[in-house]
Amino acid sequence: MKHALAAALIALACPAAADTTVGLLLPASGNYAALGQDIEDGFRMAIGGAGRDDITILREDTEAKPQTGLTRARKLIMQDRADVLVGVVSSAVLGAVRDVVDGSGTPLIVANAGNSDATGKDCSPYITRVSFSNDQLNRPMGEWMAAEGIGSVYTLAPDYAAGQQMIGAFSDAFEAGGGEVIGGDFTPFGRTEDFGPYLAKAQASGAEALYVFYGGADAISFVKQYDSFGLRDQMPLYAVGFLTAPLYLRSQGEAAEGVIGALHYLPSLDTPENAAFVDAYRAAHDGDLPSEYVVAGYDAGRLLLGALDSGAAGREELARALPQVAYTGPRGPLEIDSATNNIVQNVYVFETVSKDGEMTHRLLDTIEAVRDAPNGCEMG
């Protein structure tokens, strides 16, 4: 399997007409630092596997602060003259850098931030997303839960752009399917250590289930507090799947058992492409499983390699070439929607389970080729 992966990567490589400078815009500190490291690991895995020596990688720490992200993006674009930017974890940071990316004509490959507007009403021919949109993951989960006969939910999420968009997309789809959102709260982002008062309100609502979005350190503390609160039998926990991502399972332990989520990648996917990817990653990372963030970074690298392989060089040519790249990778078939520059991909519904002494994910359903509507996007 490792040989198959290496062969696939080598096939993407070709002699370059000119060196390419990549600016990584990722958090190296704060709540999302671990996500940034996973994305960088995946990106470097793709570039390193291709054996190219004509790609220079620069890195800037965005933290999860929009103004910091904007300052770092301006440095990479204007001072370092980066040919392409890769990264952005926070939806709020993506919103902050959108205009400088578009105005400077610098292509940005989004490797995490799901800000739906970036491939909706605020889309740009210079922004190509290879991760997900907040609508893309939550809309199918709302439809799926309604179809499963769940009648009512209470929602919780951090109070910033991603939390609001994710809960909004889920709620619209769930209620369109016949369910009812009885109530919900947006918790202060990065400042909520005690979820107890919010869990008490959810319990008192009488809803059948709890639906949440949390990532980073919040995902670990929320799952542990939900388990300690004793809600498991009374109010089952559903979530956009970042809540029990591989990155957090080791810390969450059996507290995560039974959580049902939806995500665009699971390390347990039974495909030749994923098996090769997982084997290669584990061999280089002490047996750890790759997270969806690693895959997003890896696919950002493969997208760039595919564009370079087509002969594109420089900002304008790369921006035009990136949306043309398509392949089947660890997460399954991948293409870019020309109407929005957002990824088209499968969404996997899973249950978090304990197996052979380790926490893992059991696939429940696959929703194929999920594509967002343009939602106001008019590609210039």
Side-chain angles (χ1 to χ4, degrees):
M1 292 298 183
K2 292 179 186 176
H3 298 303
L5 176 64
L9 292 173
I10 291 169
L12 284 167
C14 72
D19 288 353
T20 299
T21 299
V22 179
L24 291 183
L25 267 177
L26 292 168
S29 55
N31 190 46
Y32 290 151
L35 283 61
Q37 186 60 59
D38 268 17
I39 292 170
E40 181 172 355
D41 287 348
F43 183 77
R44 291 185 183 276
M45 180 178 174
I47 301 301
R52 301 184 67 128
D53 60 1
D54 59 333
I55 297 175
T56 300
I57 301 175
L58 308 177
R59 195 188 201 288
E60 291 290 339
D61 180 9
T62 63
E63 307 175 46
K65 299 176 180 177
Q67 187 56 47
T68 302
L70 178 58
T71 300
R72 300 294 187 266
R74 284 174 171 157
K75 175 182 180 295
L76 288 168
I77 292 170
M78 299 171 189
Q79 180 178 323
D80 299 323
R81 304 297 303 166
D83 295 295
V84 57
L85 305 181
V86 173
V88 187
V89 165
S90 161
S91 285
V93 172
L94 179 55
V97 305
R98 185 269 175 202
D99 285 352
V100 71
V101 166
D102 183 74
S104 65
T106 308
L108 165 64
I109 305 173
V110 178
N112 187 71
N115 189 326
S116 297
D117 292 343
T119 48
K121 67 181 182 64
D122 295 332
C123 70
S124 163
Y126 299 101
I127 296 177
T128 302
R129 179 153 45 203
V130 75
S131 51
F132 60 91
S133 77
N134 295 332
D135 286 4
Q136 190 176 37
L137 297 182
N138 289 272
R139 185 179 65 248
M141 192 57 172
E143 295 168 348
W144 187 87
M145 287 177 62
E148 288 292 302
I150 299 165
S152 61
V153 301
Y154 193 91
T155 63
L156 290 173
D159 189 12
Y160 78 113
Q164 294 155 7
Q165 289 183 356
M166 290 198 185
I167 295 301
F170 166 81
S171 298
D172 289 347
F174 183 65
E175 294 194 327
E180 180 183 3
V181 178
I182 287 181
D185 278 303
F186 290 106
T187 56
F189 176 51
R191 294 183 287 113
T192 304
E193 296 182 358
D194 181 7
F195 291 99
Y198 301 101
L199 291 169
K201 287 180 66 177
Q203 184 180 32
S205 73
E208 293 179 31
L210 183 58
Y211 185 83
V212 308
F213 157 64
Y214 285 106
D218 285 348
I220 297 171
S221 60
F222 181 85
V223 166
K224 287 185 172 180
Q225 291 183 40
Y226 166 83
D227 183 56
S228 298
F229 210 83
L231 277 179
R232 186 187 305 273
D233 294 332
Q234 179 184 348
M235 180 177 268
L237 180 55
Y238 296 79
V240 63
F242 303 110
L243 187 71
T244 56
L247 188 60
Y248 316 132
L249 279 181
R250 188 169 294 177
S251 298
Q252 292 167 335
E254 293 186 355
E257 191 164 9
V259 177
I260 293 178
L263 211 52
H264 51 293
Y265 173 73
L266 300 175
S268 56
L269 292 176
D270 187 15
T271 67
E273 294 84 4
N274 187 48
F277 176 77
V278 170
D279 286 349
Y281 182 83
R282 297 192 82 165
H285 292 84
D286 297 325
D288 289 345
L289 289 170
S291 69
E292 68 278 15
Y293 308 109
V294 174
V295 172
Y298 176 77
D299 281 332
R302 287 200 56 178
L303 209 71
L304 176 60
L305 291 169
L308 293 171
D309 191 47
S310 74
R315 293 176 175 178
E316 283 294 335
E317 290 183 9
L318 285 172
R320 288 194 295 271
L322 287 168
Q324 308 303 317
V325 180
Y327 56 88
T328 296
R331 71 177 89 181
L334 180 160
E335 65 174 302
I336 303 298
D337 186 348
S338 61
T340 63
N341 275 7
N342 193 43
I343 188 171
V344 179
Q345 61 186 334
N346 294 343
V347 172
Y348 304 99
V349 181
F350 65 89
E351 180 180 10
T352 308
V353 299
S354 176
K355 181 179 180 182
D356 300 328
E358 293 185 350
M359 300 305 298
T360 185
H361 302 116
R362 181 170 68 91
L363 183 64
L364 300 178
D365 203 354
T366 299
I367 304 166
E368 296 183 346
V370 178
R371 179 190 306 264
D372 280 353
N375 293 324
C377 174
E378 295 182 4
M379 199 64 71

